[in-house]
């Protein structure tokens, strides 16, 4: 059912809700407080969960770093590719969250958990394929990046051992989305914390006493990821038993999950493409520019976790409200989330501006890199409020199932940034410093403004409110 039918149905179903203006003020305030509490209860655990994967990589880096420079370089190469794979497959979380939440809101819990289970099986199958490709084709894949022979040897060893964790990693993504659709943001948090803590002794034991070296780090991380997947699958299975849904895949449902994920895959590829363009342009400006870019990108990534967690809360709440067909509640949630994102963006922008002068000095002793990093980070701080709105509205449209429009808007945003990156790559820019500032102005301001502007224009209307029809 698309725009016209959705709005007619929602209008008829919400005549009572549309009279909310006549409610006593204390009832309105109580409703707003309830929505604000729900946003916080979903966003805070999601924030902590988002930090799990960087923590796993940090543990690996700290222990592998003691094995030597070649081992650390090999880990860097392999983990970068693994992170890219997980980033592309993030649709497993988003698609299952949106689908499950809308069925939960409609009161059809059987269909909700059915979609979640099918998403988990899809994640597992994709994970097995990636694991086979990465394990058996590691040397051919990694050689494409032109590493030194010793670095290649270490990278292949880590890739082959860590590949066993890819099915667990992608199952975890889908299971996380399923549980979030049921408003359970704490179980993914527990799994992330437990997996991160388990990873430390596992890696230490396998790297040092077992003398597996960098392969031990890969096996340890893979085991932690499989544990996380098992834990979350047991939580999903518990919900399935409650509603009498078997834990086996439904062929049509798996194919439906894959088909509905295509717009999200396009969205993710646009995001990854923009980052790849940005890094490629920065790499052509020399060592100082690339080092400064790394510092700025690290700070940008950590800021994005806070923004993404609010988007997750919006995705869940919008999805469930659409399932209930409650227009007034949808509009209220949207307003409250936008208010939260603006406030969060302003606070993060001020915090970012202050850190711009401190963090570069802690990371590097090179004065040129420090100076460039400060300038870049100040540009980023100006973009954070706009970026906060972009992240939030991304979650709103995913929760509403408006992914085709979202994919279109992301393509528009990507092509708005492309000329900036190409200009830095192929046109004389005067100095590397100016080129880097121009590049980051394009990425942090042009790209993010295009994302927020297109999405904001969309949510101002009603065409994005697609009612999710209950049914198995």
């Amino acid at each position: 059912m698309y725009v016209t039918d959705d709005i007619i149905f929602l209008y008829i179903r919400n005549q009572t809700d549309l009279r909310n203006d006549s409610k006593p003020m204390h009832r309105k305030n109580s409703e707003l407080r309830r929505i604000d509490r729900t946003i916080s209860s979903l966003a805070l655990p999601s924030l902590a969960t988002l930090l799990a994967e960087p923590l796993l990589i940090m543990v690996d880096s700290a222990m592998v770093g003691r094995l030597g420079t070649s081992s650390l370089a090999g880990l860097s190469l392999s983990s970068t590719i693994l992170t890219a794979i997980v980033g592309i497959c993030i649709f497993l979380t988003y698609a299952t969250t949106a689908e499950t939440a809308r069925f939960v809101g409609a009161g059809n819990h059987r269909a909700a958990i059915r979609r979640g289970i099918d998403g988990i099986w899809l994640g597992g199958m994709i994970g097995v394929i990636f694991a086979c490709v990465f394990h058996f084709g590691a040397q051919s894949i990694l050689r494409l990046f032109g590493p030194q022979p010793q670095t290649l040897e270490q990278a292949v060893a880590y890739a082959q051992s860590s590949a066993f964790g890819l099915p667990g990693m992608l199952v975890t993504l889908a299971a996380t989305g399923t549980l979030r659709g049921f408003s359970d943001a704490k179980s993914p948090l527990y799994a992330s914390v437990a997996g991160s803590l388990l990873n430390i002794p596992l890696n230490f034991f396998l790297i040092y006493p077992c003398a597996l070296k960098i392969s031990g780090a890969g096996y340890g991380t893979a085991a932690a990821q499989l544990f996380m997947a098992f834990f979350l699958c047991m939580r999903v299975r518990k919900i399935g038993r409650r509603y009498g849904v078997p834990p086996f895949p439904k062929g049509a449902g798996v194919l439906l999950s894959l088909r509905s994920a295509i717009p999200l895959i396009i969205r993710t590829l646009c995001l990854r493409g923009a980052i790849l363009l940005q890094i490629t342009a920065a790499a052509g400006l020399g060592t100082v520019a690339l080092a400064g870019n790394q510092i700025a990108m690290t700070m940008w990534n950590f800021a994005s976790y806070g923004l993404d967690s609010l988007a997750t809360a919006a995705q869940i709440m919008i999805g469930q409200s659409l399932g209930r067909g409650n227009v007034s509640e949808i509009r209220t949630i949207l307003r409250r989330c936008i208010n939260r994102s603006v406030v969060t963006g302003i606070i993060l922008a001020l915090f970012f501006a202050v850190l711009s002068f401190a963090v570069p000095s802690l990371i590097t002793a090179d004065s040129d890199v420090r100076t460039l990093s400060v300038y870049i980070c100040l540009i980023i701080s100006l973009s954070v409020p706009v970026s906060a709105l972009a992240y939030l509205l991304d979650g709103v449209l995913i929760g509403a199932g408006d992914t085709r429009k979202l994919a279109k808007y992301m393509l528009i945003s990507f092509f708005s940034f492309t000329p900036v990156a190409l200009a830095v790559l192929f046109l004389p820019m005067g100095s590397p410093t100016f080129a880097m500032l121009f590049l980051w102005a394009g990425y942090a301001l042009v790209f993010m403004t295009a994302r927020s502007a297109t999405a904001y224009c969309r949510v101002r209307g009603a065409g994005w409110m697609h009612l999710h029809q209950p049914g198995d």
Side-chain angles (χ1 to χ4, degrees), residues 8-356:
I8 292 173
F9 187 91
L10 290 170
Y11 176 80
I12 294 172
R13 190 170 173 177
N14 281 279
Q15 288 304 298
T16 302
D17 293 324
L18 292 174
R19 296 172 188 157
N20 277 346
D21 289 337
S22 63
K23 287 183 179 180
M25 184 60 67
H26 69 88
R27 289 184 63 190
K28 287 186 179 181
N29 291 337
S30 176
E31 180 69 8
L32 292 179
R33 286 195 296 271
R34 181 189 67 80
I35 289 174
D36 287 342
R37 285 195 301 270
T38 304
I39 292 172
S40 298
S41 68
L42 294 172
L44 293 177
S46 298
L47 173 60
T49 303
L50 286 167
L51 296 173
E53 189 61 30
L55 288 175
L56 288 174
I57 294 174
M58 286 175 63
V59 169
D60 281 355
S61 299
M63 294 188 184
V64 171
R66 295 181 174 272
L67 298 175
T69 304
S70 296
S71 296
L72 188 59
L75 171 67
S76 175
L77 179 57
S78 290
S79 63
T80 299
I81 298 173
L82 282 168
T83 302
I85 291 173
V86 175
I88 292 172
C89 292
I90 196 66
F91 71 85
L92 290 165
T93 298
Y94 292 155
T96 51
T97 298
E99 287 285 321
T100 305
R102 290 196 293 275
F103 274 121
V104 168
N108 194 338
H109 295 87
R110 281 180 56 85
I113 195 64
R114 175 76 270 154
R115 289 297 177 86
I117 291 172
D118 289 338
I120 289 171
W121 277 96
L122 175 63
M125 288 187 284
I126 295 174
V128 169
I129 293 171
F130 274 133
C132 292
V133 171
F134 210 57
H135 180 79
F136 295 107
Q139 188 153 11
S140 300
I141 295 171
L142 294 168
R143 188 181 285 117
L144 296 174
F145 294 85
Q148 297 293 323
Q150 288 183 329
T151 300
L152 177 62
E153 180 184 355
Q154 297 297 307
V156 169
Y158 183 81
Q160 290 179 332
S161 57
S162 61
F164 294 103
L166 279 170
M169 196 181 298
L170 300 194
V171 164
T172 296
L173 292 179
T176 295
T178 302
L179 293 168
R180 284 177 178 173
F182 280 87
S183 297
D184 181 5
K186 291 184 178 179
S187 291
L189 171 59
Y190 298 151
S192 298
V193 171
S196 298
L197 292 177
L198 177 64
N199 192 43
I200 296 172
L202 270 176
N203 278 16
F204 180 85
F205 179 73
L206 294 172
I207 292 172
Y208 303 117
C210 292
L212 293 177
K213 299 184 179 180
I214 194 171
S215 294
Y219 288 127
T221 300
Q225 289 161 345
L226 290 169
F227 166 79
M228 291 163 60
F230 176 78
F231 176 84
L232 293 176
C233 284
M234 290 300 98
R235 291 298 179 102
V236 172
R237 177 65 188 125
K238 183 178 180 181
I239 299 173
R241 283 199 299 267
R242 186 188 309 161
Y243 296 107
V245 178
F248 307 108
K250 187 177 180 182
V254 174
L255 292 176
L256 182 61
S257 295
L258 182 59
R259 188 183 68 180
S260 63
I262 290 175
L264 289 174
I265 295 173
I266 294 172
R267 164 201 172 271
T268 303
L269 289 175
C270 287
L271 287 174
R272 293 289 165 181
I275 293 173
L276 181 61
L277 266 179
Q278 196 276 339
I279 293 174
T280 302
L285 297 174
T287 304
V288 171
L290 192 56
N293 189 77
Q294 177 62 26
I295 294 173
M297 188 60 77
T298 300
M299 293 181 64
W300 173 274
N301 288 337
F302 272 97
S304 70
Y305 293 133
L307 304 179
D308 218 15
S309 62
L310 186 57
T312 298
Q315 182 183 344
I316 297 168
M317 295 174 70
I318 290 292
Q320 291 185 352
S321 293
L322 277 170
R324 289 190 289 269
N326 193 332
V327 171
S328 63
E329 183 181 63
I330 293 166
R331 288 296 184 190
T332 302
I333 291 171
L334 180 61
R335 285 195 299 271
R336 300 304 288 180
C337 286
I338 288 176
N339 290 341
R340 284 286 188 98
S341 73
V342 171
V343 172
T344 302
I346 292 172
I347 293 172
L348 277 177
L350 295 173
F351 190 59
F352 211 101
V354 173
L355 290 180
S356 298

Side-chain angles (χ1 to χ4, degrees), residues 404-446:
R404 289 187 180 181
K405 286 289 186 181
L406 182 59
K408 176 183 174 181
Y409 297 151
M410 201 63 72
L411 282 168
I412 293 171
S413 303
F414 173 75
F415 286 117
S416 71
F417 169 64
T418 300
V420 176
L422 294 179
V424 173
L425 275 169
F426 299 111
L427 297 180
M429 303 293 292
S431 70
T433 298
F434 174 78
M436 277 299 294
L437 298 181
F438 181 78
L439 179 64
W440 268 99
Y443 182 76
L445 294 173
V446 175

